[in-house]
Amino acid sequence: MQLTAYVNGNMLPLQDACIHIEDRGFQFADGVYEVIACINGTFLDLDMHLQRLRYSCEAIAIDLPCPLHEMAARIEAIYHANPFEDAMIYVQITRGRAARAHLPNTMPTPSLIMTVRELPAPSCETLTQGASAITLDDIRWKRCDIKSIALLASVMGRQEARRRQADETIWLDEQGHMLEGCSTNVLAVIDGSLVTHPLDHQVLGGITRRLALQLARQHGIRVVERPWHLHEAGLQECMLSSTTQGIVPVCYIDGQAIGGGTPGKLTLQLRDWLLQHFDELRQEKTHHA
Ligand code: PDD
């Protein structure tokens, strides 16, 4: 499929899509983004992604390029120009183009860029054998609640994970608590409860994380949002959550097996509930169509 990108109001072949070198996204990483999944033509939790996009824009004082309902229409349009059965849509908003100065003389018009790629399903191996992770001290900034396009630390984290033949790096705070991965939230099952770091400046308010907690509560599982350690007594399971992968078990961290080194029962159950929830969204859409 010839890929089409959206750049500031224009749809054009991906290979011709450019942004000016003085765009502040390029010069300062002065921008925010979202990654939205679309399965069989149904966007998953588009509203929540749009609300988070607004939150990120407001946090760094960038005006949304258009109202959210129009943003939704543009996202649908770029998807229809790249109609993969399962797709991920990257939406990036930067402060726009201006002569390079930390504070631009005049406020530029924000840039809006969108690209679409096929959404790869997690491999069978990841689901049956689990992913592996390493832990590193968090070297990121102190506003991880903003979905900033400044992802250098995440790139470095992934490089180190790959060097050590692992799939993900989990960032640790100064007390060694498990925060989140480079592009995932991290959850654990401890003494039967689903535990994850509370929402603060050190973690992104993941949409999949929120769904996982909601689904667990609906099924009578105790949910505890608190700082947690990898070496806590009672740690049974560990999992990663993200838009692009859903819920994925983690069976080895820093070379040590979690829960005997096989995917946890509750993790797989949560993954099933999540997939069921997405099926329901698809059915609702077909029903309303
Ligand atoms: N990443 N934490 C970080 C640092 C992330 O970048 C992401 C998402 C998440 C999970 O959030 P959600 O469930 O809303 O996708 C947590 C996207 C997928 C990415 O950058 O590709």
Side-chain angles (χ1 to χ4, degrees), residues 27-247:
Q27 294 288 344
F28 291 102
D30 187 358
V32 296
Y33 77 108
E34 275 300 319
V35 184
I36 301 154
C38 185
I39 312 264
N40 274 333
T42 302
F43 290 99
L44 304 182
D45 302 306
L46 181 56
D47 278 353
M48 282 193 250
H49 283 280
L50 289 175
Q51 276 163 34
R52 188 170 65 189
L53 188 61
R54 177 166 58 193
Y55 172 82
S56 296
C57 278
E58 279 176 7
I60 64 168
I62 289 184
D63 288 337
L64 277 172
C66 59
L68 288 189
H69 67 270
E70 201 179 315
M71 187 76 76
R74 292 187 199 185
I75 290 170
E76 290 207 17
I78 192 63
Y79 168 70
H80 288 298
N82 302 271
F84 292 108
E85 192 151 302
D86 297 339
M88 50 188 175
I89 296 105
Y90 280 81
V91 180
Q92 289 166 281
I93 297 177
T94 76
R95 201 175 304 276
R97 176 184 162 186
R100 193 188 181 286
H102 286 73
L103 283 181
N105 280 338
T106 51
M107 265 309 151
T109 307
S111 300
L112 173 60
I113 303 136
M114 294 193 274
T115 53
V116 180
R117 298 278 174 173
E118 186 161 24
L119 176 68
S123 70
C124 258
E125 209 188 0
T126 306
L127 295 178
T128 54
Q129 295 174 23
S132 59
I134 59 168
T135 57
L136 289 178
D137 288 340
D138 195 358
I139 54 166
R140 303 172 305 161
W141 73 329
K142 293 186 177 145
R143 287 304 305 273
C144 297
D145 53 313
I146 300 172
K147 203 159 168 54
S148 155
I149 58 171
L151 292 171
L152 184 54
S154 308
V155 170
M156 291 168 70
R158 276 285 163 79
Q159 280 174 338
E160 184 58 13
R162 175 171 293 174
R163 199 182 68 78
R164 296 207 235 154
Q165 275 132 46
D167 302 301
E168 178 62 301
T169 285
I170 298 170
W171 302 112
L172 302 177
D173 73 6
E174 282 172 6
Q175 289 77 45
H177 297 123
M178 302 279 272
L179 295 171
E180 64 175 343
C182 295
S183 66
T184 53
N185 287 111
V186 186
L187 302 91
V189 180
I190 303 177
D191 291 325
S193 299
L194 187 62
V195 179
T196 191
H197 198 280
L199 293 182
D200 63 11
H201 63 286
Q202 302 173 98
V203 295
L204 181 74
I207 285 156
T208 323
R209 170 195 182 280
R210 180 174 146 164
L211 271 174
L213 301 189
Q214 188 183 314
L215 288 165
R217 286 191 183 105
Q218 277 168 13
H219 287 88
I221 290 148
R222 190 162 167 259
V223 169
V224 188
E225 293 177 74
R226 65 160 174 87
W228 60 281
H229 281 277
L230 185 56
H231 303 293
E232 282 188 33
L235 182 95
Q236 298 157 302
E237 302 179 25
C238 202
M239 66 196 88
L240 303 172
S241 71
S242 70
T243 296
T244 47
Q245 297 192 81
I247 291 172

